[in-house]
């Protein structure tokens, strides 16, 4: 029989070494947690593993496994190893899932950092150096597909009944571009009230912003807004941020900053310099004139001492 062939029949001397295995298990475990003998298994020629129940709280179904062996033609059984192993019905921890897969929107708290992958599909370079034609250009891809299309949708109705856009350069066209073709718009007071409300919820003084590595003004997930409020606010587009879809102050911040993984560390103050070459003299006895009471030569007052 080859030496590497695993024997199915346990070695008799190794199988009888239950006391040796129990002693080894009790030395490795805490007192009173090694239970009854739960069987054995042959690991090979003259190699047997004994199993003992584990009474440790929280380790239901686990077993102490003690492997013993003996040399060829030897009658002395020696200890190989002792380890705690899960049994068939052991209570095990759930399968580990990477943080990037188990993270859900709303899980981020103050002080947490969420590094952004370099190939994150939610982000793109701010400037590529390539000039693309406008969407209504004759050389644009959209116009080329429209020209080559065989079935073109035609709006039903006579041309006279179709809505006519305001002519370019008119007062109506200018009001349309400026967003002023409404009956009423926000007043200055309304703008300030909204700004104060948004600043209180997602502003630089919040706990999340105080623990953030940077502000929203440098984050790639910030979507700017138009109007006068665009100078101080934007819309967060990071689904993992607690401010996703909210109007945030440019001074706000969270751990989901797009450049959190590459932000430079804040500078640290230099260590204090200790001069170990200078010697400061300290007298063993105080000087006669160092006290608050002047010295006296009167022997009667000297015996009484200072009051």
């Amino acid at each position: 029989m080859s030496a590497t062939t695993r024997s199915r029949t346990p070695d008799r001397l190794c199988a009888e070494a239950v006391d040796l295995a129990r002693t080894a298990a009790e030395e490795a475990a805490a007192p009173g947690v090694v239970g009854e003998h739960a069987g054995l298994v042959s690991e090979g020629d003259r190699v047997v593993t004994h199993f003992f129940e584990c009474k440790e709280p929280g380790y239901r179904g686990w077993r102490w496994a003690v492997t013993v062996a003996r040399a060829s033609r030897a009658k002395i059984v020696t200890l190989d190893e002792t380890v705690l192993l899960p049994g068939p019905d052991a209570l095990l921890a759930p399968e580990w899932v990477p943080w990037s897969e188990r993270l859900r929107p709303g899980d981020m708290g103050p002080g947490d950092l969420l590094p952004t992958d370099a190939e994150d599909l939610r982000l793109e370079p701010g400037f590529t150096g390539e000039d693309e034609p406008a969407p209504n250009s004759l050389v644009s891809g959209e116009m080329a597909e429209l020209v080559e299309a065989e079935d073109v949708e035609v709006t039903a109705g006579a041309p006279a009944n179709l809505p006519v856009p305001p002519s370019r350069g008119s007062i109506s066209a200018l009001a349309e571009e400026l967003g002023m073709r409404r009956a009423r718009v926000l007043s200055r007071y309304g703008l300030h009230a909204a700004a104060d409300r948004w600043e209180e919820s997602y502003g630089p003084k919040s706990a999340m912003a105080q623990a953030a590595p940077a502000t929203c003004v440098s984050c790639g997930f910030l979507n700017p807004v138009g109007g006068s409020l665009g100078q101080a606010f934007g819309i967060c587009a990071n689904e993992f941020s607690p401010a996703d879809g909210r109007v945030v102050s440019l001074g706000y911040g969270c751990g989901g900053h797009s450049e959190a993984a590459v932000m430079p560390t804040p500078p640290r103050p230099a260590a204090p310099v200790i001069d170990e070459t200078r010697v400061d003299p300290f007298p063993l006895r105080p000087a006669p004139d160092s006290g608050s009471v002047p010295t006296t030569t009167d022997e009667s007052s000297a015996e009484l001492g200072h009051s």
Side-chain angles (χ1 to χ4, degrees):
M1 181 181 295
S2 175
T4 59
T5 303
R6 181 172 177 175
S7 177
R8 296 183 179 180
T9 303
D11 182 76
R12 182 179 62 86
L13 295 179
C14 293
E16 295 176 355
V18 179
D19 296 337
L20 174 64
R22 177 180 293 277
T23 303
E26 292 177 351
E27 290 179 357
V33 299
V34 179
E36 299 295 333
H37 188 259
L40 55 90
V41 63
S42 176
E43 302 290 353
D45 294 340
R46 298 176 300 278
V47 180
V48 174
T49 298
H50 293 269
F51 296 102
F52 299 91
E53 296 178 356
C54 179
K55 297 182 179 181
E56 184 76 19
Y59 285 86
R60 186 186 64 191
W62 287 66
R63 303 177 300 180
W64 287 100
V66 182
T67 303
V68 295
R70 71 180 182 90
S72 177
R73 299 181 181 180
K75 296 183 179 180
I76 300 177
V77 180
T78 58
L79 178 65
D80 192 354
E81 64 177 351
T82 304
V83 66
L84 182 63
L85 297 177
D89 57 345
L91 179 63
L92 301 176
E95 184 179 357
W96 184 81
V97 180
W99 67 268
S100 58
E101 298 180 10
R102 66 175 181 264
L103 187 65
R104 294 294 180 267
D107 292 345
M108 186 182 305
D112 296 339
L113 294 180
L114 178 61
T116 306
D117 190 2
E119 304 296 334
D120 197 323
L121 299 179
R122 299 171 299 168
L123 299 173
E124 63 180 6
F127 177 71
T128 60
E130 300 179 359
D131 296 332
E132 297 183 358
N136 58 349
S137 174
L138 295 178
V139 296
S140 64
E142 292 82 357
M143 294 301 295
E145 294 178 0
L146 183 61
V147 172
E148 296 177 358
E150 297 181 358
D151 299 331
V152 181
E153 297 181 359
V154 179
T155 305
N161 298 330
L162 298 178
V164 179
S167 59
R168 188 174 182 83
S170 62
I171 299 298
S172 300
L174 181 60
E176 180 74 22
E177 295 180 2
L178 297 179
M180 298 178 63
R181 292 189 64 184
R182 294 171 292 172
R184 288 183 293 181
V185 296
L186 276 175
S187 63
R188 188 176 182 85
Y189 171 78
L191 291 175
H192 281 281
D196 293 341
R197 187 172 60 255
W198 298 340
E199 189 85 11
E200 182 179 358
S201 301
Y202 297 97
K205 296 182 179 180
S206 60
M208 181 69 73
Q210 294 293 331
T215 59
C216 293
V217 70
S218 59
C219 182
F221 293 109
L222 181 72
N223 188 21
V225 297
S228 58
L229 291 177
Q231 301 177 5
F233 297 94
I235 299 177
C236 178
N238 188 351
E239 59 179 323
F240 296 110
S241 173
D244 180 36
R246 306 278 185 164
V247 178
V248 297
S249 170
L250 298 184
Y252 180 74
C254 68
H257 196 281
S258 61
E259 311 303 322
V262 297
M263 291 296 295
T265 57
R268 297 182 178 180
V273 179
I274 301 177
D275 188 0
E276 299 180 351
T277 61
R278 180 179 176 182
V279 178
D280 296 330
F282 291 96
L284 298 178
R285 297 180 177 84
D289 56 348
S290 60
S292 59
V293 180
T295 58
T296 177
T297 57
D298 188 1
E299 295 182 355
S300 59
S301 60
E303 293 179 355
L304 295 177
H306 298 289
S307 57

